[in-house]
Structures are given as C-alpha cells and as structure tokens.
Amino acid sequence: MINLRFPLQRLPDDLCSKVLKTMDPHEIIAYSFTSKKAFSFIQTLGLSLEDVHIKMGKLPAVYLNIGCYTVEFNWRMGENGKEMASLDDIPVSVDVTTEKHNWSLNLVTMKRRMISEYRVSTWSKQKKTLGEWIQHLCSIFRCEHYESEFKIREMTFDVQSFRNIFPKLRRACINGFLEDEPNEDDFQNAQVILRAFLPYVKYLRLYRVPLQENFSLQHIGMANLKELEIYYPQNPKFDYLLTLNSERCIISENQFSLRDLNRFFKLWKKGSYTKLKFLEVHGENIADWNVLMKGLQPEKERRLQADGGEEEKEYTIQNCYGICARIRMFNNRFVSVKFTVLN
Amino acid sequence: MSSTEQGTSSAAPAEPTTAPESAAAPEVPESFYYVHGKDKVVHKVSAGALQHSALIHGMISNLGYTEEQAKANPFPFENIDGDILQMVVDWCNQHKGKPTPPEDTNLPKQKEKLFDLVLAVNYLEIKELLTYCCKQVAMMVKGKSPEEIREIWMIPTDAEDEAAEKEAKKRAGKEAAGETAAAAGDAK
C-alpha cells in the first residue's frame, strides 16, 4: 500500500527535470509510461544512451545500454509459450531486468573486477501492442545505434509496420536457421525485412537466409553497406559478387570456388570494387595457390611461418589505380582466403 | 509583524543550533540576520549559515545592513510556511561552514512537507539542499512500476490531462473575450 504521495507534475519543469535526472534509467522509463505528458516531458530532457538492441523472435526482447546500466525488456506474449503472431499483438506482461555494472579494485592483486547487480520486475502490458512498446522504448532516449536481430520463421512481418515502428537500424542480423526447407512465408519474411531496412542499415549479417531471384544477394551486395556478412547462402553464385558495393565483406559457405575468387581479384585489378577494403571467404576447398593467383601477376610474394609449423604465403597485388592489396590463404579445418586493401 | 504573536522569537530570536566555532578560527564577530515566513515568526540566522542560500546571500551583499538594521528589518518570505522555513534554517545552521556530504542524513524527515520544502528551497536557491530534496523525491519511486509511480506522484491520466487542457483553453478564451469587451467598453 502506498501512503505517501507527491504531486510531481505540480513542480516547475526545471525542478521536475532535476528530480528525473537523479533517477535510474529503468525508473525514468517507467515514468515515461505513466502518461503521454510524462512521456513527452522525458523526451524533452534529451537523455542519451549508447545502443539499443531489438530481438525479434518467439520471445521478443529489447536491450537498452545506458552507460553502466543495461535495461532488458522481455515480453510474454501468451500462456504456454504461445507463438508470436505480429507486432500488433498485445503482450500478457513484461519482464524488466536491470543490470548495473560496477568496477571494484582488489587491493591485494590490484586487479579490477566487474560486479553486476541484477534486479528483475514485472510490469503490466500498459495497454500497448508489441509494436507500440518498441516504438515507445526507442523514442525515450536519443540514440544513434539501433540494431536488430530477426528470426524469420518466428514472426510475421510487413514492410509498412517495420517502417512505421522501427527506428533507422544501423545493424541488422537475419537468422534463417530452418530445420526443414524454406517455405513461401520464409522467403516472404526475409524479403520484407531486407526491403524495410536495407536502405538505412550499415552492417548486415545474414545466417542461412532464404532468398529468391527477385531479391537476391546481388541486390543486397549493391546496398551501401559498411559490412556485409553472409553465412551459408542458398545457391550462391559468383556473379552475385560482381555488384558488391560494401567496404567489408565476409562470406562463409559450404563450398566455394578459388577460380571464382581469382576472377574477382582480376576484376579488382581492373578497377572494380573501389569501396572494398576487406574480403574474407571461407569454406571447404583445396588450398591451391596456382588456381587462386593465376594471371594476377603479384607485386610481392612473402613466405610466412604458421603456428602449426606449416609454411604459408601471402601475395601483394596492385590495381590499375596503384592501390595494393594483400591476399592470404589459410588452410585449417576450412580454407580461408583474406583479401585486404593496404592503402 | 506583531510581537505578541511571535513570542520570544522576535523579541529575543533563538540562538542558532550550530556548534561553536573552533578555537583555531579567527576571532571575527559573527553577524546575524533575521528572516520570517508566512507565520511571521522571526528566525535569527548567522551570515555563515545564510551563505547556503544564493538569494539571501545576494540580498545581504546588496543591502549592506548593520546588525541593528538587520534586526529591525527581517527578510520577509511570505510565500514560505513557517515550519518549512524553520526546516530550511535548521539545515543551513547544521551545515554552516561545512562541506556538504554526498548523502545527507540531516534532511528534514517529514515527507508530507516535501513538496513545499522543494519549492521553498528552490526559491531560496539553496543548491545542495535542493539536490538532496530532488533525490528524496526520486527515492519515493525507487524500483516501482509505472502504475505505482502514477499513484505515488499523483500523475493524472491522459483523459484527465486532456480535460484539464480543454478547461484551461476555455478559461483562456473567456478571459480573452472579457478583456476585449472591457477594452471596447473603455473605448466607448
């Protein structure tokens, strides 16, 4: 039972903001849910946070990283782990976990150790849909780094809802780990997410994402990305890389062709892929330098001593603009080829 | 200001409850000033204690009162309840010439008076006490859910806010209409 009352909103705005600024982040968030007026007042304070991570799967979650605090929201969408249908669903309740990190110094060993304090509480659904929750949480604080992880079979999505609800994501990760063959909905979901966020996203990671001809890796590679990571793409074709426009690219696949990579490096020498700074391809193969370097006329060859005692090599090639790049090949469980632009 | 109502306070203002200055301190006679709130009860406070209040400190610097003038002209704070002013004066006396600790245990304990105290402290511009008071207000909702915060801080619902806004607009409209009518009447 609450005996004490304090009419906070009768205080002048400057005092009200002074009170709010002394509060912990999860309490500020809780206050923002008390009324529309409270929410807009919190927005005017211009509080900032480091990053926001949104996890869209069977159990959706949002993580807000605010200095030494992490506030995590986990929505219970129904009894007995009911599957999430869409962003329009109203959750049953919300678990709020606050983690506070503190550093302590051991005076004997003079080593610093991080101590975390956890606090878990359950909030009511606040009469908001999951989409409204996400929208609310993403608009309380000022933040430049929004990232999201999507599991394509565990939700239904539509482009417009995404555009209306989600902030502009800086980083997106799409997980398509499917036990069976992808169905039409899986293709559709993957495409919806990519269409919604590809124009803004800077870092994109795709895990076994099912794609179709009308929206393939070629379209994704053309996007203005800083980093593209592709793990086990379906039916990968070398031609998809011809339009690659990202600065860094990591491709992991079951099998890849050194001959295709050789073609790729030849195109780079002729002046293609001007934005590319780093490319890494790994998968099952036979490490054959003759195939990889055929016709590339390297400027430099250097022999390296690997940890296992096996001798390794690196080559330096130069393109038509005089820019050099280093090619390294590693042969461990898989074969990895790393291409790094040097200047 | 009626002396009978004030009892001993105005005739012989109570000595501040501060500890005596240390023997090592220079022997400069301390000057005292007098303040009163809504209840007209006069409180005698040393200049050192009053330094916490930027408002009073500014007034003292500007007026350049002698001890006699200060006694004859207590600073009137008609907008502050007597008991609230007493709390503030006590706090200033307790913290006279001392660095204020990060966690203050000498804060007034009566939470029901916290709202008036915050306003008074803000008006008197006592920065440290205001910070403690704001922390105290924030502590009321420590670890609470949105519903509990709504209850503790008496936050109106969206519907109540909308109704209040409509009412304010209506009132402002009426006032504007009244002013226009008055201006027209004056013109005639």
Side-chain angles (χ1 to χ4, degrees):
Chain A
M1 196 175 144
I2 295 156
N3 294 319
L4 283 165
R5 301 274 194 284
F6 185 91
L8 183 84
Q9 293 187 348
R10 277 176 50 207
L11 285 180
D13 282 357
D14 59 334
L15 288 185
C16 207
S17 83
K18 203 169 162 63
V19 170
L20 293 168
K21 281 178 179 172
T22 64
M23 288 161 64
D24 287 343
H26 69 285
E27 288 151 5
I28 293 177
I29 297 167
Y31 176 70
S32 78
F33 280 102
T34 56
S35 74
K36 283 181 189 167
K37 198 174 162 186
F39 175 56
S40 53
F41 189 77
I42 290 284
Q43 283 180 311
T44 61
L45 297 182
L47 304 172
S48 60
L49 48 73
E50 282 164 23
D51 59 76
V52 178
H53 183 89
I54 307 162
K55 208 166 117 191
M56 298 298 288
K58 204 175 274 184
L59 295 166
V62 167
Y63 304 83
L64 307 171
N65 290 318
I66 313 154
C68 60
Y69 282 93
T70 304
V71 188
E72 180 183 336
F73 290 83
N74 286 281
W75 289 275
R76 287 195 212 150
M77 299 311 297
E79 300 304 325
N80 308 320
K82 174 187 169 276
E83 274 195 32
M84 163 62 60
S86 76
L87 289 165
D88 297 328
D89 278 3
I90 295 179
V92 174
S93 62
V94 189
D95 289 335
V96 186
T97 309
T98 310
E99 188 183 348
K100 190 181 177 190
H101 322 286
N102 282 316
W103 286 96
S104 94
L105 179 70
N106 185 327
L107 292 170
V108 181
T109 60
M110 292 310 278
K111 281 185 180 165
R112 271 155 55 93
R113 193 164 64 95
M114 196 170 81
I115 300 166
S116 295
E117 281 171 47
Y118 290 90
R119 178 193 276 266
V120 185
S121 51
T122 303
W123 292 2
S124 71
K125 57 196 172 188
Q126 304 296 318
K127 295 177 192 159
K128 286 187 190 297
T129 64
L130 175 65
E132 286 166 340
W133 266 95
I134 293 171
Q135 204 170 18
H136 185 106
L137 292 174
C138 291
S139 45
I140 298 172
F141 301 97
R142 282 186 303 147
C143 178
E144 306 254 310
H145 297 261
Y146 292 100
E147 52 186 61
S148 190
E149 186 186 334
F150 302 90
K151 292 194 175 162
I152 55 173
R153 193 171 275 182
E154 292 173 0
M155 286 199 76
T156 56
F157 308 107
D158 72 274
V159 177
Q160 206 48 51
S161 307
F162 270 143
R163 288 198 178 144
N164 293 343
I165 289 164
F166 272 66
K168 284 185 181 173
L169 297 179
R170 184 177 163 85
R171 190 182 289 269
C173 171
I174 308 175
N175 276 325
F177 283 111
L178 305 169
E179 286 164 11
D180 44 12
E181 281 296 300
N183 59 33
E184 195 48 46
D185 285 344
D186 298 331
F187 284 112
Q188 185 66 25
N189 274 346
Q191 209 175 106
V192 161
I193 300 164
L194 285 165
R195 280 192 197 282
F197 299 114
L198 206 53
Y200 319 112
V201 87
K202 290 285 166 221
Y203 299 86
L204 180 65
R205 185 182 295 172
L206 309 173
Y207 279 105
R208 296 185 193 274
V209 174
L211 297 166
Q212 285 171 315
E213 285 293 318
N214 65 344
F215 202 90
S216 64
L217 280 179
Q218 194 171 11
H219 297 88
I220 297 163
M222 280 162 70
N224 195 16
L225 298 169
K226 283 208 178 291
E227 189 170 279
L228 172 63
E229 290 177 69
I230 308 162
Y231 295 91
Y232 308 104
Q234 289 194 324
N235 312 318
K237 288 181 189 166
F238 170 74
D239 290 352
Y240 290 160
L241 281 185
L242 294 179
T243 52
L244 189 66
N245 194 31
S246 52
E247 285 180 27
R248 290 173 60 85
C249 182
I250 297 164
I251 303 169
S252 184
E253 51 182 296
N254 292 329
Q255 282 192 320
F256 69 97
S257 155
L258 290 178
R259 199 179 300 256
D260 283 345
L261 267 183
N262 173 269
R263 268 175 67 201
F264 182 88
F265 295 145
K266 279 179 182 159
L267 286 170
W268 180 82
K269 279 195 74 164
K270 284 180 183 168
S272 299
Y273 318 116
T274 47
K275 283 179 75 180
L276 187 67
K277 300 267 192 302
F278 179 77
L279 172 75
E280 183 179 340
V281 182
H282 47 105
E284 284 178 23
N285 212 324
I286 296 161
D288 187 342
W289 279 106
N290 295 329
V291 179
L292 186 68
M293 297 305 296
K294 192 178 174 187
L296 284 176
Q297 294 159 340
E299 299 290 309
K300 230 165 54 180
E301 179 188 332
R302 202 156 72 97
R303 289 182 186 279
L304 307 163
Q305 199 63 41
D307 291 342
E310 200 178 317
E311 195 180 63
E312 286 179 1
K313 283 189 284 190
E314 72 170 37
Y315 288 95
T316 305
I317 57 172
Q318 193 178 51
N319 72 2
C320 58
Y321 303 118
I323 296 167
C324 290
R326 186 180 61 210
I327 300 171
R328 281 182 176 179
M329 184 153 57
F330 301 94
N331 189 8
N332 298 320
R333 239 180 93 206
F334 297 100
V335 171
S336 301
V337 176
K338 285 187 186 180
F339 170 84
T340 313
V341 176
L342 299 174
N343 46 3
Chain B
M1 175 166 85
S2 119
S3 62
T4 49
E5 278 171 17
Q6 291 153 20
T8 54
S9 294
S10 71
E15 286 299 318
T17 54
T18 47
E21 293 291 309
S22 71
E27 293 287 322
V28 179
E30 194 168 22
S31 49
F32 287 90
Y33 292 88
Y34 301 86
V35 293
H36 74 76
K38 207 184 269 177
D39 62 355
K40 311 282 186 197
V41 175
V42 175
H43 305 271
K44 182 183 177 186
V45 201
S46 69
L50 285 178
Q51 277 199 339
H52 283 290
S53 164
L55 179 84
I56 302 176
H57 186 64
M59 287 160 89
I60 293 169
S61 321
N62 293 334
L63 293 170
Y65 274 176
T66 60
E67 185 106 25
E68 288 71 34
Q69 284 170 321
K71 205 167 189 174
N73 303 293
F75 294 123
F77 298 109
E78 303 285 354
N79 52 344
I80 300 174
D81 282 343
D83 50 349
I84 301 290
L85 190 64
Q86 178 71 61
M87 282 186 212
V88 175
V89 166
D90 288 347
W91 188 89
C92 288
N93 282 330
Q94 279 160 5
H95 293 83
K96 186 176 79 171
K98 288 182 203 163
T100 43
E103 293 300 329
D104 193 356
T105 49
N106 291 324
L107 260 180
K109 293 286 180 287
Q110 299 97 319
K111 284 204 176 150
E112 58 276 15
K113 309 232 175 195
L114 195 54
F115 182 79
D116 292 331
L117 182 66
V118 172
L119 292 181
V121 169
N122 183 48
Y123 175 73
L124 296 170
E125 296 175 55
I126 307 174
K127 207 178 150 194
E128 293 93 342
L129 183 54
L130 184 63
T131 304
Y132 295 142
C133 288
C134 288
K135 273 189 190 163
Q136 198 88 340
V137 176
M139 285 301 287
M140 292 174 87
V141 297
K142 185 119 192 102
K144 303 286 188 221
S145 69
E147 288 78 13
E148 290 166 326
I149 293 178
R150 197 176 288 134
E151 204 181 331
I152 296 167
W153 278 353
M154 303 162 78
I155 293 164
T157 60
D158 291 339
E160 285 167 343
D161 275 335
E162 275 168 34
E165 207 172 302
K166 263 185 200 168
E167 189 61 37
K169 267 185 192 168
K170 211 188 270 177
R171 210 180 310 127
K174 270 184 192 169
E175 275 170 19
E179 274 173 24
T180 324
D186 287 347
K188 275 179 190 176

